Amino acid sequence: MDHGSDADTESDTRPRPGRSSGDARVDELLTRAAAGDEQAFAGVYDALASPVMGLACRVLRDEAQAEEVTQDVMVEVWRTADRFRPERGAARNWVLTLAHRRAVDRVRSVTAGRARELRTGAREQDRPFDAVTEEAEEREEHRVVFRCLAELTGRLRLPLVLAYYEGLTYAEVADSLATPAGTVKSRMRQGLRRLRECLETAS
């Protein structure tokens, strides 16, 4: 990738007109993440995951669904960071645009799913109580897992999200993060151990 002259590179990290120093910092972090800097992406995640969650909650009006969308969006940001163009707007706005699109897509999907459920329910009459209870328990468990993931540092959280939410293998996670497979395995073991401790405390 051609980064241009030193002067150009330096000017890219300066706050642009109408952009706060905080936004400029996130712009810089996302630009570094696009070059494979995992620590920089952890900074992007910490800065933007909460605003993404807030937007998703407003659109979806469902915390569990919003949590899923937030994870999906942040993984998409990591994978497509090289598409960010600071000259077109702040990273925050770019990420929130992705989040809004994902949330709206989820609303459409949920609406279609509910329509199917209503049709099925009309045919099957009442759902068994056990099935309803199981669904509620699974949703609560998902919320707890999300909160425990959020407590992990970025370097431990991201490999787990890529592996368990995106279905990537060790090798694919290592390739995606530009990190040795041995390091990825070590981080995932450490992350899983801390995740398990958090879940046991929450139970």
Side-chain angles (χ1 to χ4, degrees), residues 111-127:
T111 300
R114 285 175 179 167
R116 286 194 298 271
E117 287 179 2
L118 285 172
R119 290 195 297 270
T120 301
R123 290 194 298 267
E124 298 179 355
Q125 301 301 319
D126 295 333
R127 296 177 61 193

Side-chain angles (χ1 to χ4, degrees), residues 22 25-26 29 41-52 74 92:
R25 173 61 175 164
V26 177
L29 288 171
F41 178 73
V44 173
Y45 191 106
D46 291 340
L48 298 183
S50 181
V52 167
M74 298 315 294
R92 174 183 293 269

Side-chain angles (χ1 to χ4, degrees), residues 27-67:
D27 290 356
E28 179 187 355
L29 288 171
L30 186 55
T31 300
R32 286 164 47 195
D37 188 331
E38 184 181 342
Q39 288 302 111
F41 178 73
V44 173
Y45 191 106
D46 291 340
L48 298 183
S50 181
V52 167
M53 177 68 178
L55 185 152
C57 275
R58 289 194 296 274
V59 173
L60 290 158
R61 301 184 184 279
D62 183 294
E63 186 177 357
Q65 294 279 349
E67 288 166 351

Side-chain angles (χ1 to χ4, degrees), residues 3-196:
H3 294 287
S5 66
D6 292 340
D8 290 339
T9 302
E10 180 181 355
S11 65
D12 285 344
T13 64
R14 294 173 182 170
R16 297 172 186 271
R19 201 170 303 184
S20 69
S21 59
D23 281 345
R25 173 61 175 164
V26 177
D27 290 356
E28 179 187 355
L29 288 171
L30 186 55
T31 300
R32 286 164 47 195
D37 188 331
E38 184 181 342
Q39 288 302 111
F41 178 73
V44 173
Y45 191 106
D46 291 340
L48 298 183
S50 181
V52 167
M53 177 68 178
L55 185 152
C57 275
R58 289 194 296 274
V59 173
L60 290 158
R61 301 184 184 279
D62 183 294
E63 186 177 357
Q65 294 279 349
E67 288 166 351
E68 291 180 6
V69 166
T70 299
Q71 290 292 356
D72 289 346
V73 168
M74 298 315 294
V75 169
E76 182 179 359
V77 169
W78 168 256
R79 289 182 163 180
T80 64
D82 59 346
R83 298 180 188 171
F84 169 60
R85 297 292 180 267
E87 66 273 12
R88 296 181 183 174
R92 174 183 293 269
N93 294 339
W94 182 70
V95 172
L96 290 178
T97 297
L98 293 178
H100 185 266
R101 186 180 306 134
R102 282 266 186 168
V104 170
D105 287 346
R106 180 61 66 93
V107 168
R108 290 169 178 162
S109 175
V110 169
T111 300
R114 285 175 179 167
R116 286 194 298 271
E117 287 179 2
L118 285 172
R119 290 195 297 270
T120 301
R123 290 194 298 267
E124 298 179 355
Q125 301 301 319
D126 295 333
R127 296 177 61 193
F129 176 78
D130 287 348
V132 177
T133 303
E134 182 179 347
E135 180 179 321
E137 290 175 349
E138 287 179 356
R139 178 161 294 193
E140 177 59 28
E141 181 179 323
H142 182 83
R143 279 197 287 266
V144 173
V145 170
F146 178 86
R147 293 192 183 103
C148 287
L149 275 171
E151 292 179 8
L152 297 177
T153 62
R155 70 185 185 87
L156 299 182
R157 176 176 57 234
L158 188 55
L160 294 180
V161 171
L162 289 173
Y164 291 97
Y165 282 84
E166 296 297 304
L168 272 61
T169 64
Y170 275 129
E172 289 169 336
V173 171
D175 183 62
S176 178
L177 298 178
T179 303
T183 301
V184 167
K185 288 182 180 181
S186 176
R187 290 178 182 177
M188 289 183 69
R189 282 196 296 268
Q190 186 178 358
L192 285 170
R193 183 170 63 250
R194 293 188 182 179
L195 188 62
R196 184 163 52 248

